[in-house]
Amino acid sequence: GHMAKGLRQMRGSLRRADCLVEVHDARISSHIPLSGRNPMLQEALGIRPHVLVLNKMDLADPRQQPVSTRGAGAGRAPVGPLQDSARSIVPLVAKLISSSPRYDRAENAEYNIMVIGVPNVGKSSLINSLRRLHLRKGKATAVGGEPGVTKAVLTRIQVCETPLMYLVDTPGVLPPKLGDVETGMKLALCGAIRDHLVGEDIMADYLLYTLNRQQQFGYVQHYGLPEASDDIGHVLKHVALILGKTQKVKVLTGTGNVNVTMLNYSAAAYEFLRAFRAGRLGRVTLD
């Protein structure tokens, strides 16, 4: 619901935007750009400068080069990791806007920038970083590790004094239809889709498959497994034992109810996903 509302608000705000900054997760690099998959934004993007920022590079496999140039083109410019690009975004945006037609916005001295991207990719974090860097100000927009923290297009937030620049945070928006199941699984593993909508056990199984396929065996060392395994039940059993993830279950017997302590595989799957997202299983690019 908030995505549809956000898309409507974004379309209404686009006419006042001089440039779009798209924040993308470097671990799913082949899905650049989001804008190319959103026909509702495509028309507006065609006449506006477009900057692409890769976030979470510290979690991506350094051996795999992100496809950062796929979003480049006329009036578009790729930018590197979020932590490195904060200093370069303002001058780059100012340069792109000054060399592009602003139409009905030409009389405005300030620059208006809209930040877009899929859920939980770091759009709000980028805005807060720019404010700290250029204005020495604190947080202006809420951030969180779960998708959907920003649920509506917010008011303009000043991020720079010279040039006078405002950014607008937007809710993460996914295409109405994903191309295939694997695309959805990769987005879910990176936190763009809420875990319970997919299922932690299914996501953990796909994550294990991906790690083994890429020969990323950091999970073996992290959890003290004797060897790599493609059996998610075996891996989660070991994780539950190591982390003490148990649950008490009532069992009905002929003599009455009996409380039995069992391993909590769902909790183990959740911890397995958390370890991946925190980079504790190694630096992994899902594509």
Side-chain angles (χ1 to χ4, degrees):
H2 74 269
M3 284 192 190
K5 177 184 176 183
L7 263 176
R8 289 194 299 270
Q9 292 177 328
M10 287 163 69
R11 292 182 72 186
S13 301
L14 272 171
R15 66 175 63 95
R16 298 188 297 275
D18 298 304
C19 178
L20 290 105
V21 172
E22 178 185 341
V23 185
H24 191 85
D25 194 318
R27 294 170 294 178
I28 42 178
S29 55
S30 75
H31 302 305
I32 293 172
L34 160 74
S35 49
R37 301 188 319 233
N38 263 297
M40 298 178 75
L41 297 176
Q42 188 63 46
E43 182 181 352
L45 285 177
I47 60 172
R48 283 170 176 77
H50 179 195
V51 175
L52 183 65
V53 178
L54 295 181
N55 192 16
K56 305 184 182 180
M57 286 282 285
D58 57 321
L59 300 176
D61 188 343
R63 298 172 298 177
Q64 293 183 243
Q65 183 67 31
V67 192
S68 58
T69 56
R70 190 174 298 175
R76 300 184 181 185
V79 178
L82 178 60
Q83 57 267 38
D84 298 331
S85 61
R87 295 183 182 278
S88 62
I89 284 178
V90 167
L92 176 59
V93 166
K95 180 180 178 182
L96 286 173
I97 293 175
S98 64
S99 60
S100 67
R102 297 183 72 195
Y103 302 104
D104 59 314
R105 304 178 304 282
E107 70 279 2
N108 293 332
E110 75 267 15
Y111 296 152
N112 294 299
I113 319 300
M114 180 176 287
V115 183
I116 63 173
V118 300
N120 198 33
V121 80
K123 299 180 294 296
S124 300
S125 297
L126 172 63
I127 291 177
N128 292 332
S129 296
L130 290 172
R131 277 178 63 84
R132 284 194 299 269
L133 179 64
H134 295 285
L135 295 179
R136 302 290 189 268
K137 300 285 187 180
K139 276 201 301 187
T141 181
V143 297
E146 295 289 327
V149 173
T150 304
K151 295 186 181 296
V153 176
L154 302 178
T155 55
R156 297 189 310 163
I157 301 168
Q158 184 180 351
V159 295
C160 188
E161 190 71 47
T162 308
L164 185 57
M165 188 174 292
Y166 294 89
L167 265 65
V168 176
D169 197 6
T170 63
V173 174
L174 290 169
K177 291 184 179 180
L178 296 175
D180 53 72
V181 173
E182 263 201 290
T183 298
M185 293 301 295
K186 291 171 184 176
L187 289 167
L189 285 178
C190 290
I193 301 173
R194 290 188 180 274
D195 293 349
H196 72 273
L197 297 177
V198 180
E200 286 91 345
D201 53 342
I202 298 173
M203 292 167 60
D205 196 5
Y206 180 77
L207 174 58
L208 180 64
Y209 158 75
T210 302
L211 294 173
N212 288 332
R213 183 184 63 183
Q214 296 188 7
Q215 297 187 334
Q216 294 269 13
F217 300 125
Y219 72 92
V220 176
Q221 181 178 3
H222 182 71
Y223 292 115
L225 287 161
E227 60 183 359
S229 172
D230 59 2
D231 183 350
I232 188 60
H234 170 70
V235 173
L236 292 183
K237 179 180 180 180
H238 194 85
V239 172
L241 286 170
I242 290 292
L243 300 180
K245 298 296 179 182
T246 60
Q247 59 183 340
K248 288 189 176 180
V249 179
K250 279 189 177 181
V251 178
L252 183 61
T253 68
T255 57
N257 293 340
V258 177
N259 287 326
V260 178
T261 300
M262 301 179 65
L263 294 176
N264 190 336
Y265 284 83
S266 295
Y270 175 70
E271 291 299 330
F272 189 47
L273 296 175
R274 282 189 61 189
F276 161 72
R277 289 167 179 163
R280 293 195 291 270
L281 305 184
R283 297 178 64 177
V284 180
T285 297
L286 296 174
D287 288 330

